[in-house]
Amino acid sequence: MPSPPWFYSGDLLTVEYRTDPARVADLLPAPLSLAEEDPGAVAMIWADWQSCSSSRKELLDPVQSQYKEAFVVVRCSYKGQTFSRCVFIWVDKDFAIGRGLHQGYPKKLGSMWQTRPHAFPQASPSIAPGGMFGASLAAGDRRLADAVVTLREESPTNGFVNANKMAHHRVFPNIDGPGDAFSELISSGAAEFEGGQAWTGDAELNLYDSPNEELTSLPVQEVIGGYFQQIGVKWNGGTSLERLDG
Amino acid sequence: MPSPPWFYSGDLLTVEYRTDPARVADLLPAPLSLAEEDPGAVAMIWADWQSCSSSRKELLDPVQSQYKEAFVVVRCSYKGQTFSRCVFIWVDKDFAIGRGLHQGYPKKLGSMWQTRPHAFPQASPSIAPGGMFGASLAAGDRRLADAVVTLREESPTNGFVNANKMAHHRVFPNIDGPGDAFSELISSGAAEFEGGQAWTGDAELNLYDSPNEELTSLPVQEVIGGYFQQIGVKWNGGTSLERLDG
Amino acid sequence: MPSPPWFYSGDLLTVEYRTDPARVADLLPAPLSLAEEDPGAVAMIWADWQSCSSSRKELLDPVQSQYKEAFVVVRCSYKGQTFSRCVFIWVDKDFAIGRGLHQGYPKKLGSMWQTRPHAFPQASPSIAPGGMFGASLAAGDRRLADAVVTLREESPTNGFVNANKMAHHRVFPNIDGPGDAFSELISSGAAEFEGGQAWTGDAELNLYDSPNEELTSLPVQEVIGGYFQQIGVKWNGGTSLERLDG
Amino acid sequence: MPSPPWFYSGDLLTVEYRTDPARVADLLPAPLSLAEEDPGAVAMIWADWQSCSSSRKELLDPVQSQYKEAFVVVRCSYKGQTFSRCVFIWVDKDFAIGRGLHQGYPKKLGSMWQTRPHAFPQASPSIAPGGMFGASLAAGDRRLADAVVTLREESPTNGFVNANKMAHHRVFPNIDGPGDAFSELISSGAAEFEGGQAWTGDAELNLYDSPNEELTSLPVQEVIGGYFQQIGVKWNGGTSLERLDG
């Protein structure tokens, strides 16, 4: 796998909602604690990506470049600073799992689909008031979530839950028993970011139980809103905040 | 499967080339014969589709709506009229196979990928001079074809090989031995068509041998050109040209 | 696709149950009617196949040979004779769809899994009392069914619902509007059949609603039993019972 | 993911061959060196697994239990002891990637197929003289390898290249630049092992170039032999040999 920097062009479909903050706290290992403001806020995000390394050669063999993902982000506090944190994430390509290991994303495989805007409306919504975008997530041959966002108006933001730097753990369990051989808290964010006009609107989000997944441990109490934005990103490493092993 | 009409929004990446006309003739069953002009012309086309029925409900559960395909088109003559004809086609969803049976496309499953344009260039080509688009086709865990098209300039057409009405056979073999219980020659085309600005440019196309496929029976002798166009289409049935059984 | 005969070696996991006979009748087009005895009996069958044509070459490139399927069988009456009939079927390879078209099976794509017996029990049930076999079916990224069969004893049969010759329709809709260009009722069965010792036992079967599927139109009212058998089959065509078009 | 122990029942199809020892040495990071005897020996192994944790619950939802893999093993020397080492491995499920991270296997996604023996020979080889087993490996929509093994006779072993304890690196790159935040050499082997009668025979192995893979960096100079064996395994952790970072 080529080393960073890594480059991404893609579309984000986001539903933000509130859950019981105690359920968020259950997912925050030490030394993280709940964010001070709106601690029960959650973002469920679908992303439809094209990506590449510095050589850009993956773009000409797009089986190496395109992938989809769905992920759940909460916020947390570390030494008085608010971070975003991905608590669940599913992707559909192994290169995305590999990059995610580097970045501390706990990636699993899933099947994700998200409606695309297109220049012609015969079988596509428009990025305009009334434009309807659907999305689904499945893993283990079970549907885990689906959503519909109906655009209403332009928005100054693409939501707030995924708007901070990420704080992630990177962990290797011991090979010879319980405990961790390596555990590190790291932070990272986009080295460069360009975003198109964000849109907001009404959102429905359904989460479905699965015996193998924890997604419904963050049930929807109140939908905050839905968002759509097209973005371009460069990621180029992060910072080690703290070693937690030994 | 919902009945026609069916609606499509998508991007076409096309490479047109010439092969030995005798190889095209080998793929034209009676009563079809070679086209009079440029009879060895072939188009290999990748398409990245969103599609739906009249209800448009598939667009909100996009696993039912999005699919990719790669197909090979030649031209032929029937009663003095020139038709296009799809001789090989691979898709990645079963609803596309089902529609294809109705339309006389000999669809098989494959894995297709094609570079997408995007609003942000971090990991995307632009629809502009120098924009490079790649594509690949695999089936049976073997790569069958890949291509790169480098856009040069706007084009008055998206090529000519796939520009006629389609002439396709629809066949059921006998259940109790050789021969056909049903065989019909039909024609169809788009009931409505909208196309964006087409682009043309330089193209490379590689076809790879497979013991299970006939794609290399139409080898590339001379590349004519590459094309990129975004389109919207409505398909709503066709015409029976001739019954060929019994 | 090579012509018949086609050969199969595989394992069948079956759950037989009763539903309201009126729901079965809804799925029987003319000239078929309900079977006289036990007309609400249904078999849901998972099959894990290796298959080949007469050349047997597919066996050496097993991506061309192995496939899984799940299907639902009812019985029906035609001119006083009882037939089996597959009303729903999902497979995971296109060559299985192609053969199914020939045979009148209404095949769609799905994802099927079924526990395998193995010579070593570390991660496998035994074909013996207490052996537990699970199975699941998904399509459109939704789970449609799952089952567990716990073997109890050897059985003289592998169930009765799928034990007759099949009566299937083969249909092409008109290309230019409603109605059928071709419709034929055919029957077929195994040209050769070898079966190992069948086992029966307790069974659980769950069917799940999906907006795109009709599987729950045959709800489980009473489980009859579960079955497991390993078989070898040769299929070599069938008989046209009746032309129904024109 | 449940913690170890993990249990496996499955079939191994192995082709052993010799390559230039210098090419093996290129793949052995410090502190490992070439094995003293037959240092260019390589095993390419296909495995068709059913697996579970101690609860055995995965066996009743077999999408969580069954997976396939193909991997390449060489031998190496560490402090005077000979170890086996997996240098390339592809799997088709994410739980197998997750376990592999724990065990130090550099797992990527691929598509693997391998002929299965079955109780009935209609579409299956027998585990007997003349039985022919095929296998293939693809990744990135390119075929990387395929093989055919023709059984000749019972064998006292299933080969020798994969017969030692494994020596693997477990590595996390630094989040903020070159170098490793964590690097550990570990060893592990089966905690329990049961094997059926091994068979040996003639083997063909083809490795295909891919711009994204290094498999052909170990070209086949001389085939040693082919093997088939059914096994049951328990894996329950290993031993840290050496910390290599900082």
Side-chain angles (χ1 to χ4, degrees):
Chain A
M1 200 173 64
S3 296
W6 300 322
F7 300 86
Y8 304 82
S9 295
D11 295 4
L12 301 182
L13 187 72
T14 301
V15 180
E16 293 195 335
Y17 68 95
R18 291 191 181 92
T19 195
D20 179 350
R23 313 301 289 269
V24 176
D26 289 344
L27 296 173
L28 298 178
L32 305 177
S33 57
L34 281 175
E36 293 192 5
E37 291 185 33
D38 215 346
V42 181
M44 174 130 198
I45 305 171
W46 277 265
D48 190 359
W49 292 117
Q50 209 160 238
S51 67
C52 62
S53 63
S54 292
S55 74
R56 296 179 75 81
K57 75 188 165 99
E58 297 89 349
L59 296 181
L60 298 186
D61 188 22
V63 65
Q64 299 181 56
S65 173
Q66 295 173 1
Y67 73 102
K68 290 175 285 188
E69 62 189 1
F71 55 109
V72 177
V73 175
V74 298
R75 290 172 313 140
C76 59
S77 181
Y78 172 72
K79 294 189 174 174
Q81 187 180 346
T82 301
F83 287 87
S84 299
R85 179 177 175 89
C86 176
V87 290
F88 308 124
I89 182 166
W90 295 263
V91 299
D92 62 4
K93 288 280 177 71
D94 59 352
F95 61 78
I97 291 180
R99 291 183 196 146
L101 286 167
H102 188 114
Q103 300 168 317
Y105 283 90
K107 292 188 176 185
K108 299 196 285 189
L109 287 178
S111 177
M112 283 70 56
W113 296 90
Q114 129 186 27
T115 313
R116 289 191 192 120
H118 190 263
F120 292 95
Q122 277 77 359
S124 171
S126 296
I127 307 176
M132 296 180 77
F133 292 77
S136 66
L137 163 66
D141 278 358
R142 298 177 195 266
R143 185 161 291 206
L144 302 182
D146 45 35
V148 174
V149 173
T150 305
L151 303 187
R152 191 177 54 239
E153 61 194 1
E154 297 184 354
S155 166
T157 75
N158 194 38
F160 67 97
V161 179
N162 194 33
N164 301 94
K165 282 206 168 190
M166 311 304 290
H168 286 161
H169 283 67
R170 306 197 308 170
V171 176
F172 252 123
N174 279 319
I175 191 62
D176 55 1
D180 294 330
F182 174 71
S183 180
E184 180 187 28
L185 181 67
I186 61 111
S187 80
S188 83
E192 296 175 16
F193 177 89
E194 278 189 281
Q197 174 64 55
W199 283 75
T200 189
D202 297 327
E204 300 171 33
L205 175 63
N206 301 299
L207 306 181
Y208 303 104
D209 281 322
S210 162
N212 317 315
E213 302 287 350
E214 302 168 278
L215 182 53
T216 53
S217 68
L218 297 175
V220 179
Q221 289 189 340
E222 173 196 6
V223 169
I224 299 172
Y227 300 90
F228 179 85
Q229 189 180 29
Q230 299 189 300
I231 66 174
V233 176
K234 175 184 177 181
W235 189 92
N236 196 17
T239 304
S240 179
L241 296 177
E242 196 172 326
R243 278 292 288 274
L244 302 166
D245 58 283
Chain B
M1 199 173 66
S3 297
W6 300 321
F7 299 86
Y8 304 82
S9 295
D11 295 5
L12 301 182
L13 187 72
T14 301
V15 179
E16 292 195 337
Y17 66 95
R18 291 191 181 90
T19 193
D20 179 349
R23 312 301 288 270
V24 176
D26 289 343
L27 296 173
L28 298 178
L32 304 177
S33 58
L34 280 175
E36 292 191 4
E37 291 187 32
D38 215 345
V42 182
M44 175 133 197
I45 305 171
W46 278 266
D48 190 358
W49 292 118
Q50 209 160 239
S51 68
C52 61
S53 64
S54 293
S55 75
R56 295 179 75 80
K57 74 186 166 108
E58 297 89 348
L59 296 180
L60 298 187
D61 189 22
V63 64
Q64 299 180 56
S65 173
Q66 294 172 0
Y67 71 102
K68 291 175 283 187
E69 64 188 3
F71 56 108
V72 177
V73 175
V74 299
R75 289 172 313 139
C76 60
S77 181
Y78 171 72
K79 294 189 175 173
Q81 187 179 346
T82 300
F83 288 86
S84 300
R85 179 178 175 87
C86 176
V87 291
F88 308 124
I89 182 166
W90 295 263
V91 298
D92 61 5
K93 287 281 176 71
D94 58 353
F95 62 78
I97 291 180
R99 291 183 195 146
L101 286 167
H102 188 114
Q103 300 168 318
Y105 283 91
K107 292 188 175 184
K108 298 195 285 188
L109 288 178
S111 177
M112 284 68 57
W113 296 91
Q114 123 186 32
T115 313
R116 290 193 190 119
H118 190 264
F120 292 95
Q122 276 78 357
S124 172
S126 296
I127 307 176
M132 297 181 76
F133 292 77
S136 66
L137 164 66
D141 279 358
R142 296 176 194 269
R143 185 161 291 207
L144 302 183
D146 45 36
V148 174
V149 173
T150 305
L151 304 187
R152 190 177 57 239
E153 61 194 0
E154 297 184 355
S155 167
T157 75
N158 193 39
F160 66 98
V161 180
N162 193 34
N164 301 93
K165 283 205 168 190
M166 311 303 291
H168 286 162
H169 284 67
R170 306 198 306 170
V171 175
F172 253 123
N174 279 318
I175 189 64
D176 55 2
D180 294 331
F182 174 72
S183 180
E184 180 187 28
L185 182 66
I186 61 111
S187 80
S188 83
E192 295 175 16
F193 177 90
E194 279 189 280
Q197 174 63 55
W199 283 75
T200 188
D202 297 328
E204 302 171 32
L205 175 64
N206 301 299
L207 307 181
Y208 303 104
D209 281 323
S210 162
N212 318 313
E213 303 287 350
E214 302 167 279
L215 182 53
T216 52
S217 69
L218 297 176
V220 178
Q221 289 190 341
E222 173 196 5
V223 169
I224 298 171
Y227 300 91
F228 179 85
Q229 189 180 30
Q230 299 188 300
I231 67 173
V233 177
K234 174 183 176 180
W235 189 92
N236 195 17
T239 305
S240 178
L241 296 177
E242 196 172 328
R243 279 290 289 271
L244 302 166
D245 58 284
Chain C
M1 199 173 63
S3 295
W6 300 322
F7 300 86
Y8 304 81
S9 295
D11 295 5
L12 301 182
L13 187 72
T14 301
V15 180
E16 292 195 335
Y17 68 96
R18 292 191 180 91
T19 194
D20 179 349
R23 313 300 289 271
V24 176
D26 289 344
L27 296 174
L28 299 178
L32 305 177
S33 58
L34 281 175
E36 293 192 4
E37 291 186 32
D38 215 346
V42 181
M44 175 131 198
I45 305 171
W46 277 265
D48 190 359
W49 293 118
Q50 209 159 239
S51 67
C52 61
S53 64
S54 293
S55 74
R56 296 179 75 79
K57 74 187 165 104
E58 297 90 348
L59 296 180
L60 299 186
D61 189 22
V63 65
Q64 299 181 56
S65 173
Q66 294 173 1
Y67 73 101
K68 290 176 284 187
E69 63 188 2
F71 56 110
V72 177
V73 175
V74 299
R75 289 171 313 140
C76 59
S77 180
Y78 172 71
K79 294 188 175 174
Q81 187 179 346
T82 301
F83 287 87
S84 300
R85 178 176 175 89
C86 176
V87 291
F88 307 124
I89 182 165
W90 295 262
V91 299
D92 61 5
K93 288 278 177 72
D94 59 353
F95 62 78
I97 291 180
R99 291 183 196 147
L101 286 167
H102 188 114
Q103 300 168 317
Y105 283 91
K107 293 188 176 184
K108 299 195 284 189
L109 288 177
S111 177
M112 283 71 56
W113 297 90
Q114 126 186 30
T115 313
R116 289 191 192 120
H118 190 263
F120 292 95
Q122 277 78 358
S124 171
S126 296
I127 307 177
M132 297 181 76
F133 291 77
S136 66
L137 163 66
D141 278 358
R142 297 177 195 265
R143 185 162 291 206
L144 303 182
D146 45 37
V148 174
V149 173
T150 305
L151 304 187
R152 191 177 54 239
E153 61 194 1
E154 297 184 355
S155 166
T157 75
N158 194 38
F160 66 97
V161 179
N162 193 33
N164 301 94
K165 282 205 169 189
M166 311 304 291
H168 286 161
H169 283 68
R170 305 197 308 169
V171 176
F172 253 123
N174 278 319
I175 190 63
D176 55 2
D180 294 330
F182 174 71
S183 181
E184 181 187 28
L185 182 67
I186 61 112
S187 80
S188 83
E192 295 176 16
F193 178 89
E194 279 189 281
Q197 174 63 56
W199 283 75
T200 188
D202 297 327
E204 301 170 33
L205 175 63
N206 302 300
L207 306 181
Y208 303 105
D209 281 322
S210 162
N212 317 315
E213 302 287 349
E214 302 168 278
L215 182 54
T216 54
S217 69
L218 297 175
V220 179
Q221 289 190 339
E222 173 195 5
V223 169
I224 298 172
Y227 300 90
F228 179 85
Q229 189 180 30
Q230 299 188 300
I231 67 174
V233 177
K234 175 184 176 180
W235 189 93
N236 196 16
T239 304
S240 179
L241 296 177
E242 197 172 326
R243 278 292 287 272
L244 301 166
D245 58 283
Chain D
M1 199 174 65
S3 296
W6 301 320
F7 299 86
Y8 304 82
S9 295
D11 295 5
L12 301 182
L13 188 72
T14 301
V15 179
E16 292 194 337
Y17 68 95
R18 291 190 182 90
T19 194
D20 179 350
R23 312 301 288 270
V24 176
D26 289 344
L27 296 173
L28 298 177
L32 305 177
S33 58
L34 280 175
E36 291 192 5
E37 291 186 32
D38 215 345
V42 181
M44 174 132 197
I45 305 171
W46 278 265
D48 190 359
W49 293 117
Q50 210 160 239
S51 68
C52 61
S53 64
S54 293
S55 75
R56 294 179 75 80
K57 74 186 166 106
E58 297 89 349
L59 296 180
L60 299 187
D61 189 23
V63 64
Q64 299 181 56
S65 174
Q66 294 173 0
Y67 72 101
K68 290 176 284 187
E69 63 188 3
F71 56 109
V72 177
V73 175
V74 299
R75 290 173 312 141
C76 59
S77 181
Y78 172 71
K79 294 189 174 173
Q81 187 179 347
T82 301
F83 288 86
S84 299
R85 179 177 175 89
C86 175
V87 291
F88 308 124
I89 182 165
W90 296 262
V91 298
D92 61 5
K93 287 281 176 69
D94 57 353
F95 61 78
I97 292 179
R99 290 183 196 147
L101 286 167
H102 188 113
Q103 300 168 317
Y105 283 91
K107 292 187 176 185
K108 299 195 284 188
L109 287 178
S111 177
M112 284 70 56
W113 296 90
Q114 123 186 32
T115 313
R116 290 192 192 120
H118 190 263
F120 292 95
Q122 276 77 358
S124 171
S126 296
I127 306 177
M132 296 180 76
F133 292 77
S136 65
L137 164 66
D141 279 358
R142 297 176 194 267
R143 185 162 291 207
L144 302 183
D146 45 35
V148 174
V149 173
T150 305
L151 304 187
R152 191 178 55 240
E153 61 194 0
E154 297 183 355
S155 166
T157 75
N158 194 38
F160 66 98
V161 180
N162 194 34
N164 301 92
K165 283 204 167 189
M166 311 304 290
H168 286 161
H169 283 67
R170 307 198 306 169
V171 176
F172 253 122
N174 279 319
I175 189 63
D176 56 1
D180 294 331
F182 174 71
S183 181
E184 180 187 28
L185 183 66
I186 60 112
S187 81
S188 84
E192 295 175 17
F193 177 89
E194 280 189 279
Q197 175 63 56
W199 284 75
T200 187
D202 296 328
E204 302 171 32
L205 175 63
N206 302 299
L207 307 181
Y208 303 105
D209 281 322
S210 163
N212 318 313
E213 303 287 350
E214 302 167 279
L215 181 53
T216 53
S217 69
L218 297 176
V220 178
Q221 288 189 340
E222 173 196 5
V223 169
I224 299 171
Y227 300 90
F228 179 85
Q229 189 180 29
Q230 299 188 300
I231 66 173
V233 176
K234 174 183 175 181
W235 190 91
N236 195 17
T239 304
S240 179
L241 297 176
E242 196 171 326
R243 279 290 291 272
L244 302 165
D245 57 284

